[in-house]
Amino acid sequence: MLALKNSTKRFTGGDVVTTALNGVSLEIKAGEYVAVMGPSGCGKSTLLSILGLLDTPDEGEYWFDGKNVAGWSETELSDLRRGRIGFIFQSFNLIEELSVSENVELALEYASVPTGERRERVAQVLDKLGVAHRARHRPSQLSGGQQQRVAIARALVGRPAVLLADEPTGNLDSAHGEEVMRILQQINDEGTTIVMVTHSASHAARASRTVGLVDGTLADLAAVAAVS
């Protein structure tokens, strides 16, 4: 479903060129649950950005659902991304001025889903995540675990085939972190492909496969442990 082939990504700041990914080849099959581990600055977030069609490699190929999207324009990437990929972030990224249900519904407004269907989908996903009783609350009125449940609901309401999670438990205590991991496992069991960046070996062990990344290059987990 997702395949990077000898993909390289560089960033330029002044006279400094930083290679974030260096010749990475990685295939992720439909329905897989893949964890990505590595030290800070190793290229994990860049990898997720490319997998999520937020960026493209400077060299090499990226195949998404049978299409090589390397070199596509932002408009083309956005059209392909919509409804196919959901994102979960460490910092939740909820809008304080909106209620819980409005935060989740916003993801569907961008997809031009009719109002009635939007509200039905929002109600269903909030119930599934156990936060339906918080639908009219503002984000600041929720615990960290509840906020992350709302963020997951927002990622799922578009019914994506792929879910990308960037340190989804990073701002949570251990109990709420375990709740999020249980939810992700359930989502994967239902058929959604998941790629999760994490620093936690115990959380990575929940995935069906773990990929190591060091200095923008795929590495075994022993190499990751040596530099972490």
Side-chain angles (χ1 to χ4, degrees):
M1 183 177 192
L2 312 177
L4 290 168
K5 297 183 179 181
N6 200 30
S7 297
T8 295
K9 183 66 180 180
R10 302 184 184 90
F11 296 99
T12 302
D15 296 329
V16 178
V17 178
T18 301
T19 301
L21 293 180
N22 188 11
V24 170
S25 294
L26 175 65
E27 182 176 357
I28 299 171
K29 296 179 181 179
E32 267 201 290
Y33 184 174
V34 178
V36 181
M37 294 190 70
S40 297
C42 71
K44 300 187 300 295
S45 293
T46 300
L47 177 63
L48 276 193
S49 291
I50 291 176
L51 292 177
L53 303 174
L54 297 174
D55 208 342
T56 58
D58 297 319
E59 299 173 12
E61 301 176 356
Y62 175 37
W63 290 79
F64 182 92
D65 200 20
K67 302 178 180 67
N68 180 16
V69 301
W72 280 29
S73 69
E74 170 53 35
T75 299
E76 291 172 318
L77 292 175
S78 179
D79 288 342
L80 182 60
R81 183 171 63 240
R82 188 177 298 117
R84 291 181 174 88
I85 301 176
F87 295 89
I88 304 172
F89 304 97
Q90 176 178 341
S91 57
F92 316 143
N93 289 352
L94 301 176
I95 300 172
E96 176 59 28
E97 292 75 20
L98 300 180
S99 68
V100 162
S101 61
E102 288 168 340
N103 266 280
V104 175
E105 186 176 349
L106 194 61
L108 295 178
E109 289 183 13
Y110 294 136
S112 301
V113 176
T115 301
E117 183 181 348
R118 287 205 309 263
R119 291 175 180 170
E120 182 178 352
R121 282 206 209 177
V122 169
Q124 288 174 348
V125 75
L126 290 179
D127 183 62
K128 178 178 181 178
L129 272 296
V131 286
H133 63 297
R134 295 289 197 175
R136 296 186 179 182
H137 287 73
R138 294 283 191 262
S140 61
Q141 296 174 298
L142 309 181
S143 69
Q146 289 171 333
Q147 289 186 58
Q148 190 60 295
R149 284 172 177 260
V150 174
I152 295 172
R154 181 185 56 197
L156 291 178
V157 75
R159 300 172 181 169
V162 180
L163 188 63
L164 303 178
D166 192 357
E167 294 284 359
T169 64
N171 284 340
L172 303 176
D173 60 30
S174 58
H176 286 123
E178 283 301 311
E179 285 183 11
V180 168
M181 294 308 301
R182 179 185 58 77
I183 291 167
L184 292 180
Q185 185 65 65
Q186 178 185 349
I187 293 166
N188 178 247
D189 289 343
E190 293 170 353
T192 302
T193 303
I194 298 178
V195 183
M196 174 184 67
V197 163
T198 181
H199 280 99
S200 169
S202 63
H203 289 170
R206 304 282 191 93
S208 54
R209 178 163 58 112
T210 301
V211 174
L213 198 63
V214 175
D215 294 332
T217 303
L218 293 183
D220 60 37
L221 297 184
V224 172
V227 297
S228 296

